[in-house]
Amino acid sequence: MRLFLKKTIFFFTIWLAFSTIVDFFVTKAIRGSSSRAIRVWEDVLNSKINEDIIILGSSRACDHYNPAVFDSITGFTSYNLGQHGKKIDMDILRYNIFKKYAKHQPKIIIWDVHGQSICFSDGWYDGIFTPYLYKKEIWSHLDSPQHDFNIFDRIIPLYRYWKKPYIFNYAFKNARNDANPYKGYVGEGGIIDTTATKLFEANDLKCTIDSSILASFKNTLLKMRNDGSFVVLVYSPLYYKGVPLLIGTNEIVSTYQRIANETGSIFINYLQDSICKNERYFTQYVHLNKEGANVFSHNLAKRLIPYINQQ
Amino acid sequence: MIFNSPEFLLFLPIVFLLYWFVFKKSIKIQNFFVVIASYFFYGWWDWRFLFLIAITSFCSWASGLLIEKNRASQNTKKAKVVNICNIVLNLLILGVFKYYNFFVESFFDIFPTLSNDQILISVILPVGISFYTFQALSYTIDVYRDKIEPTKDIIAFFAFVSFFPQLVAGPIERATNLLPQFQQKRTFDYAAAVDGCRQMLWGFFKKMVVADNCAVFVDQVWDDIPSFSGSTLLVAAILFSFQIYCDFSGYSDIAIGCAKLFGIKLKRNFNNPYFSRDIAEFWRRWHISLTTWFRDYIYIPLGGSRTTKAKIVRNTFIIFLVSGFWHGANWTFIIWGAFHALLFLPLILLGKNRKYTDNIASNRSFPTFKELLQILLTFLLATFGWIIFRSDDITQAMQFFRGIFNISIISIPMISKCFIFIAIMLIVEWINRNNEHEFQIQSRYRVVRYIIYYTIMLSIVLLSTQQETFIYFQF
């Protein structure tokens, strides 16, 4: 028995050393990936984002806002911080981490919102933080039961990568179509298939507004304003045939309008815009393609000029 | 609690250390600790169902004593009644929890005018109920048949029924093998423990790397069959064959290896079934503990193969249909059983069902061309069976077959990285096909062994997916 225990301890000591080394190289490889999701976080954590305008939001934000267009029209510099994860609590988490590392407060924050943003949250999509758990500032935001991580993820080498293939997908698999972003933007190609039978995931059609998410949304907007940022809430275009399928859109739109009024922000709704009617601009029902993103970014940037002039 | 969870990584070393260092002095205390640890292991999933295991264990233990008592007083009739009552009680529990809704739904399918939804009840299927019920049943039947002495030691008996490594998905142990091990002092065997760790590691690899990665592809295809070409459907069916094998035999490897750490030797449950040369050999190598259970307690009492041809046909169908039904309350399992009965019948009627009882190419490195063809054909037949097994209902299975057998079979299929993992698994299992299990590393050099172990561990950490449960938990 003693021999067995001795050998087991010996075996796992070597494993610990070996896995620490492997962990270092795996983390380095992920952090070196050209994938958009990783590059954005590398820019955040290396304090490289000190732009006048930042764009927050979900995957729709990633695909819809081209900073090159904003830069050329507004004369301000901009950066697209959008990340996968459709709920607003996810956006707030990202913003808080961004704030810790940013050297300057952005003058304008464009926050892309949609039908699911303020609904009951069913998941955090926080796998993107896996390679960064050893950073205290990141861990302090993730150390609670609603997140995917526990203390073992932080202290045991490689443990955080166990059963978490999505981080490898972010870093390597998706990097094929999502590489080398310009200020956080890559954009999507392709044109919508309007004959597709499955327009939305079933749970995307209905929304139960979550009062606690709504409250933290409002608090964050107020904080942003107190920090000196002007916040623009935007419901960016959806392909018009999909809009009637969404349940409770009017209630959600009026909620955004009300919150914008209460927090000194503005709300711009694109659901009735002519962009929504042109299928050439969409890659699927809820995402614009590159051409659509350029048209939309151009339109929005122009609408922002009066507010920018006030800054 | 499942083997591939962080909780089990904590649970196992704690139980191991307590078992050998704190509770070693008395067998009774050690067995009692096994029961507590096993109930904790099972209760982690849902503590409410612990009472079912306790009832099953107690009734079977008491029945054993009653059978013996009645036989001692020459009252064989009463002994038979006790045995039958115990069988009925256990099957009743199994029936209610596993088959109630199936029978009610099937009844109303036949008589739709009597349909009444209120009769259907929402019953959670207790994990592993078929496994421990069969294990407990075999004890009383063996006592009745005078193959084993009944035990008065209730703690040892409870440990036999609930021993955590094999509680929820087997191997289904016989009292003749496992119970005596709980009645005698266990001594720590270094070689067995090391071998157990090795076997567990291989089980984890098969489950978490091969099976779980196959599951991602297989689920994607089965969820949307019409969208895929015939060739891709065939690839998915092949991957499911490996998924179910690696999932279940992986579990068995972990269970057997884990038991070795506690000085307990469980029976082998799989013996390279996909290297079989015909379907009869396949069934001697697949889920051995269940197959032999049906053979000993149903097939042979019915007359087995030493009877008239008509009865052989009947017995073969009965055993395969029951085997299918054991897997679950769904017509797909029954059809799957019938499909295998049809494959098995020609062999048994021609007296060729025991043609291949040795290991393939046992004295050679490679199989002959003929053997290779036999292996491929057997595998293909088993794969067609798995299509029925995997489908939600017969309609879906038919849709899958129609999808395969059309012109789109001649197209380039979607290929999965899983084939790399499968190739590694098959090579390792081929090399070790004559050994006690498939991962008996023979190298004299510790460095070589350690490199292999660490590579396997690394692949488990970096290649595993989010899939967690084992397929056979639902049975």
Side-chain angles (χ1 to χ4, degrees):
Chain A
M1 172 60 90
R2 198 171 284 177
L3 179 66
F4 179 76
L5 289 180
K6 258 165 101 177
K7 285 203 170 180
T8 305
I9 291 166
F10 176 71
F11 181 83
F12 281 104
T13 307
I14 296 179
W15 168 252
L16 195 69
F18 175 64
S19 57
T20 306
I21 295 166
V22 175
D23 187 299
F24 172 79
F25 283 108
V26 168
T27 304
K28 201 175 166 197
I30 292 172
R31 293 188 63 177
S33 158
S34 59
S35 148
R36 180 194 174 275
I38 302 292
R39 293 278 40 96
V40 168
W41 278 107
E42 286 299 311
D43 285 350
V44 169
L45 300 173
N46 292 313
S47 303
K48 284 186 181 168
I49 305 174
N50 294 294
E51 321 291 334
D52 303 317
I53 302 173
I54 62 156
I55 293 131
L56 275 182
S58 64
S59 56
R60 275 164 48 82
C62 302
D63 288 341
H64 292 190
Y65 300 81
N66 185 349
V69 176
F70 281 94
D71 291 1
S72 68
I73 291 183
T74 62
F76 272 23
T77 57
S78 60
Y79 195 101
N80 188 333
L81 262 180
Q83 287 279 303
H84 290 282
K86 54 194 167 195
K87 305 293 192 284
I88 251 170
D89 43 13
M90 197 62 211
D91 299 344
I92 295 170
L93 171 68
R94 293 182 202 122
Y95 173 73
N96 287 335
I97 294 174
F98 157 78
K99 251 200 78 131
K100 283 222 160 147
Y101 287 90
K103 288 175 189 157
H104 309 289
Q105 180 70 15
K107 290 176 182 149
I108 293 180
I109 296 171
I110 300 172
W111 198 334
D112 186 86
V113 292
H114 53 85
Q116 291 288 304
S117 303
I118 48 174
C119 299
F120 180 74
S121 192
D122 61 350
W124 275 82
Y125 296 79
D126 47 13
I128 189 65
F129 299 114
T130 311
Y132 308 110
L133 296 184
Y134 61 90
K135 285 182 179 275
K136 231 181 178 177
E137 309 85 72
I138 301 259
W139 180 250
S140 62
H141 287 284
L142 299 169
D143 186 18
S144 62
Q146 78 242 47
H147 292 287
D148 276 348
F149 303 106
N150 61 48
I151 187 68
F152 298 126
D153 290 304
R154 187 142 192 257
I155 59 172
I156 303 175
L158 281 182
Y159 185 82
R160 63 185 188 270
Y161 295 116
W162 185 35
K163 294 190 197 173
K164 293 195 176 76
Y166 44 74
I167 187 61
F168 298 107
N169 289 342
Y170 271 138
F172 307 117
K173 202 173 162 190
N174 296 351
R176 287 176 216 151
N177 311 315
D178 200 17
N180 303 317
Y182 173 73
K183 291 185 163 187
Y185 177 77
V186 177
E188 275 197 65
I191 288 184
I192 188 170
D193 172 12
T194 51
T195 61
T197 48
K198 197 177 176 187
L199 310 186
F200 297 102
E201 296 296 328
N203 56 359
D204 283 351
L205 295 174
K206 205 179 161 192
C207 163
T208 311
I209 294 177
D210 185 321
S211 55
S212 66
I213 290 180
L214 206 59
S216 60
F217 178 39
K218 207 171 148 182
N219 280 341
T220 309
L221 289 171
L222 289 171
K223 257 191 236 165
M224 286 170 169
R225 194 185 65 175
N226 292 341
D227 290 339
S229 296
F230 179 70
V231 184
V232 183
L233 303 179
V234 181
Y235 202 136
S236 58
L238 275 173
Y239 186 57
Y240 77 105
K241 283 183 183 170
V243 177
L245 299 174
L246 300 171
I247 299 161
T249 304
N250 288 342
E251 188 197 348
I252 289 164
V253 165
S254 60
T255 304
Y256 288 135
Q257 187 61 65
R258 180 172 54 80
I259 288 185
N261 294 341
E262 288 171 6
T263 57
S265 319
I266 60 162
F267 173 58
I268 303 175
N269 181 7
Y270 272 88
L271 286 187
Q272 306 301 328
D273 195 274
S274 60
I275 296 173
C276 300
K277 303 241 165 163
N278 195 336
E279 66 186 45
R280 227 182 63 200
Y281 294 153
F282 287 85
T283 183
Q284 40 123 313
Y285 274 75
V286 290
H287 281 206
L288 292 167
N289 59 23
K290 280 182 193 172
E291 188 184 352
N294 285 343
V295 172
F296 163 68
S297 299
H298 191 274
N299 185 301
L300 179 64
K302 279 198 156 173
R303 288 171 80 163
L304 290 182
I305 286 175
Y307 302 102
I308 286 170
N309 291 337
Q310 289 170 20
Q311 295 298 308
Chain B
M1 197 181 297
I2 50 176
F3 288 151
N4 50 333
S5 65
E7 296 84 28
F8 185 73
L9 291 183
L10 281 177
F11 172 84
L12 182 62
I14 292 170
V15 172
F16 175 82
L17 292 173
L18 290 174
Y19 180 87
W20 288 114
F21 288 102
V22 180
F23 300 109
K24 192 189 170 187
K25 282 176 188 161
S26 144
I27 305 173
K28 276 215 163 170
I29 292 173
Q30 208 176 30
N31 287 343
F32 186 68
F33 176 66
V34 168
V35 176
I36 297 293
S38 300
Y39 276 51
F40 179 83
F41 176 87
Y42 191 88
W44 191 265
W45 165 69
D46 193 330
W47 60 270
R48 291 171 302 173
F49 291 112
L50 287 175
F51 84 96
L52 277 183
I53 304 178
I55 287 174
T56 300
S57 305
F58 181 79
C59 291
S60 299
W61 172 77
S63 300
L65 290 178
L66 278 174
I67 289 167
E68 179 64 15
K69 191 182 163 194
N70 284 304
R71 213 179 15 220
S73 56
Q74 304 296 317
N75 198 342
T76 47
K77 253 190 178 172
K78 216 172 169 186
K80 191 175 182 177
V81 170
V82 172
N83 187 31
I84 289 171
C85 284
N86 183 59
I87 293 172
V88 169
L89 179 77
N90 275 296
L91 293 182
L92 203 67
I93 294 173
L94 188 63
V96 169
F97 282 92
K98 193 165 175 175
Y99 300 108
Y100 173 81
N101 279 344
F102 172 76
F103 282 121
V104 173
E105 280 172 359
S106 299
F107 177 78
F108 289 136
D109 283 345
I110 298 166
F111 305 106
T113 49
L114 301 175
S115 184
N116 182 355
D117 286 345
Q118 286 174 345
I119 296 179
L120 294 175
I121 52 173
S122 172
V123 182
I124 305 169
L125 178 68
V127 169
I129 188 168
S130 309
F131 289 92
Y132 66 74
T133 302
F134 271 45
Q135 187 157 316
L137 275 179
S138 73
Y139 166 77
T140 42
I141 297 171
D142 282 352
V143 170
Y144 177 73
R145 289 177 177 178
D146 216 8
K147 284 189 174 174
I148 186 171
E149 285 286 312
T151 180
K152 287 180 182 164
D153 185 348
I154 189 167
I155 304 291
F157 187 78
F158 269 56
F160 153 70
V161 177
S162 67
F163 185 44
F164 72 87
Q166 44 88 244
L167 172 60
V168 286
I172 302 166
E173 276 295 331
R174 301 295 178 79
T176 43
N177 175 51
L178 187 54
L179 191 54
Q181 296 187 62
F182 282 112
Q183 290 169 320
Q184 64 198 31
K185 193 169 169 60
R186 270 91 65 188
T187 48
F188 183 78
D189 179 345
Y190 172 80
V194 171
D195 194 49
C197 291
R198 221 178 270 141
Q199 195 167 359
M200 285 177 78
L201 185 62
W202 187 240
F204 281 120
F205 174 81
K206 282 203 280 189
K207 163 65 183 160
M208 297 175 75
V209 178
V210 186
D212 289 353
N213 277 293
C214 287
V216 176
F217 187 96
V218 168
D219 292 349
Q220 189 193 346
V221 172
W222 243 279
D223 283 349
D224 193 11
I225 295 168
S227 302
F228 295 95
S229 66
S231 54
T232 301
L233 292 180
L234 188 62
V235 166
I238 290 168
L239 288 183
F240 180 68
S241 298
F242 285 106
Q243 182 198 340
I244 193 162
Y245 168 64
C246 290
D247 192 285
F248 193 19
S249 73
Y251 183 93
S252 296
D253 280 332
I254 299 167
I256 295 166
C258 185
K260 283 178 185 171
L261 287 174
F262 295 89
I264 300 286
K265 196 165 169 27
L266 301 179
K267 281 189 172 170
R268 191 172 192 174
N269 211 17
F270 288 85
N271 186 3
N272 302 301
Y274 290 150
F275 297 149
S276 302
R277 287 153 285 186
D278 63 29
I279 218 73
E281 189 184 10
F282 174 82
W283 277 106
R284 275 193 298 277
R285 293 168 177 274
W286 179 275
H287 202 177
I288 299 164
S289 63
L290 181 72
T291 314
T292 51
W293 199 101
F294 284 129
R295 183 197 65 199
D296 295 346
Y297 299 110
I298 298 178
Y299 187 67
I300 291 174
L302 286 171
S305 56
R306 290 177 186 169
T307 179
T308 62
K309 293 225 163 164
K311 281 188 177 172
I312 291 174
V313 173
R314 181 201 67 181
N315 296 347
T316 305
F317 265 97
I318 287 175
I319 194 168
F320 276 105
L321 291 178
V322 171
S323 169
F325 197 53
W326 177 90
H327 284 86
N330 194 331
W331 285 103
T332 51
F333 297 126
I334 295 168
I335 305 282
W336 170 76
F339 171 76
H340 274 280
L342 287 173
L343 298 178
F344 194 85
L345 263 181
L347 296 172
I348 199 163
L349 290 175
L350 295 169
K352 291 185 173 176
N353 59 311
R354 298 195 65 80
K355 193 175 173 187
Y356 302 112
T357 50
D358 57 334
N359 274 342
I360 186 166
S362 51
N363 300 318
R364 288 172 276 124
S365 298
F366 298 102
T368 62
F369 184 67
K370 185 188 164 196
E371 285 171 335
L372 195 64
L373 285 180
Q374 286 174 319
I375 290 173
L376 288 174
L377 180 64
T378 309
F379 175 76
L380 205 62
L381 291 172
T383 297
F384 287 145
W386 292 131
I387 292 173
I388 307 166
F389 189 95
R390 170 64 176 77
S391 298
D392 294 335
D393 49 43
I394 304 300
T395 316
Q396 194 186 42
M398 293 313 294
Q399 185 189 28
F400 203 98
F401 279 115
R402 276 197 301 272
I404 290 181
F405 295 110
N406 66 40
I407 193 70
S408 67
I409 187 88
I410 312 164
S411 62
I412 297 170
M414 277 168 67
I415 292 293
S416 162
K417 65 181 176 192
C418 300
F419 282 108
I420 299 168
F421 309 142
I422 290 168
I424 293 167
M425 185 270 295
L426 285 177
I427 291 167
V428 171
E429 298 217 336
W430 178 263
I431 292 167
N432 288 293
R433 68 193 179 284
N434 294 321
N435 293 337
E436 189 193 319
H437 65 83
E438 293 84 3
F439 197 57
Q440 283 191 319
I441 306 289
Q442 305 284 357
S443 174
R444 281 184 300 157
Y445 305 105
R446 186 195 281 181
V447 177
V448 175
R449 291 199 310 270
Y450 273 34
I451 288 172
I452 294 170
Y453 301 150
Y454 289 142
T455 308
I456 298 275
M457 285 170 77
L458 202 59
S459 68
I460 290 169
V461 173
L462 297 180
L463 300 174
S464 56
T465 67
Q466 282 164 297
Q467 179 95 4
E468 287 205 330
T469 55
F470 289 81
I471 294 174
Y472 265 68
F473 277 15
Q474 60 185 301
F475 307 139

